[in-house]
Amino acid sequence: MCGQIFSYKQTANGFVVYSQNKKAEVVEFEKFFEIRTKNIDYFKNFFDLETDYKKIKNVLSREKALQDPIKFGSGIRILKQDLLEVIISFVVSANNNIKRITKILFALRENFGENMGDFFAFPTLKKLENITEKQFFALGAGYRSSQLVKLINQLKAVDFESWKEQKTETIKNKLVALSGIGPKVADCILLFGFGKTDVFPVDTWIEKVYNQYFGTCKNRIIIRKELTKKFENLSGYAQQYLFYFQRSFNSK
DNA sequence: TTCCAGGTGCATA
DNA sequence: TATGCACATGGA
């Protein structure tokens, strides 16, 4: 897994991924993966199985800086996730490390999500509405607790269905108006929640990659602009290959 | 002990 | 519009 979702657990021969109130077990074999789930259609879409990644990789391989990352992360897919879960997850992710993000999000499921038997569902908006700032603190959400409470309150008035057909930049403007959502988190929501691949989330890792391979710049707004100009509709895919590669070789 | 993590919000100029 | 700083928390 590569940092797109935080609700998964390693197993002896693969991993179990939790999305919304569903789960899928992914078992790794020598030449293929097997996905075991009761929700076949949901996870067929979730793992983006209908998209031709071979074609995408061929185009992106023209860029020298992407050749090794594509080889290294050849199995990467852009996960099409539940919108509410993506929004909350990436607000929690801001200025945080993956281990701690995972811990907070599992605690959120366990304390406020429906008991599904052998796991807990991600809380519905209705359940989230009842969580206080103090309770978010108790989960370990730190200073994001107040942002989360404010955000959840704002979400009550949002009709995401009507957003889905709109242009990327239109949705982005609406997202950054919400509490806890800035340009980077908005890009992640657009990519993993709305399936918009013409975005390039720029975080601390991508900033490093950019300065290593593409140019010299510390302004993330400008880096994003340059990279989306370069990769256009394939920006989101390019970002994932670069992110995964960079993070794998620079952290534990 | 200090630095850093998939940054954002807010004050200041 | 642009820059700088504070913000919880835990691991390295």
Side-chain angles (χ1 to χ4, degrees), chain A residues 181-195:
Chain A
I181 301 179
K184 188 272 172 181
V185 169
D187 278 346
C188 287
I189 295 169
L190 283 161
L191 183 57
F192 307 127
F194 285 93

Side-chain angles (χ1 to χ4, degrees), chain A residues 14-44:
Chain A
F15 54 90
V16 181
V17 52
Y18 305 94
S19 177
Q20 209 182 62
N21 58 352
K22 303 169 184 66
K23 70 163 187 174
E25 189 183 354
V26 180
V27 182
E28 190 176 355
F29 289 92
E30 202 176 330
K31 292 191 174 171
F32 62 92
F33 287 93
E34 185 175 292
I35 301 169
R36 298 172 183 168
T37 179
K38 288 178 186 164
N39 306 97
I40 294 171
D41 288 338
Y42 182 85
F43 282 103
K44 198 182 265 185

Side-chain angles (χ1 to χ4, degrees), chain A residues 106-128:
Chain A
F106 269 116
L108 181 62
R109 282 174 170 266
E110 283 158 22
N111 284 277
F112 299 100
E114 187 184 349
N115 188 341
M116 304 301 290
D118 57 344
F119 70 101
F120 289 88
F122 193 83
T124 59
L125 182 57
K126 228 167 178 60
K127 291 246 175 92
L128 291 172

Side-chain angles (χ1 to χ4, degrees), chain A residues 1 8-9 21 60 67 70 74 79 92 94 116 205 228:
Chain A
M1 299 306 286
Y8 71 95
K9 284 179 179 170
N21 58 352
L60 290 178
Q67 289 171 359
I70 286 174
S74 65
L79 302 180
V92 169
M116 304 301 290
W205 298 104
T228 46

Side-chain angles (χ1 to χ4, degrees), chain A residues 62-80:
Chain A
R62 292 177 198 152
E63 185 67 35
K64 199 158 186 283
L66 271 159
Q67 289 171 359
D68 284 338
I70 286 174
K71 267 184 217 160
F72 179 73
S74 65
I76 285 177
R77 312 191 76 85
I78 302 292
L79 302 180
K80 296 187 168 177

Side-chain angles (χ1 to χ4, degrees), chain A residues 9 13 20 25 36 48 55 61-62 86 90 93 100 112 118 131 144 165 176 186 196 200 205 210 252:
Chain A
K9 284 179 179 170
N13 48 5
Q20 209 182 62
E25 189 183 354
R36 298 172 183 168
D48 201 17
K55 209 164 150 186
S61 291
R62 292 177 198 152
V86 170
F90 277 92
S93 81
R100 191 163 157 249
F112 299 100
D118 57 344
I131 305 176
R144 300 169 197 82
E165 303 306 315
V176 296
K196 301 285 189 187
F200 209 112
W205 298 104
Y210 184 86
K252 29 281 89 158

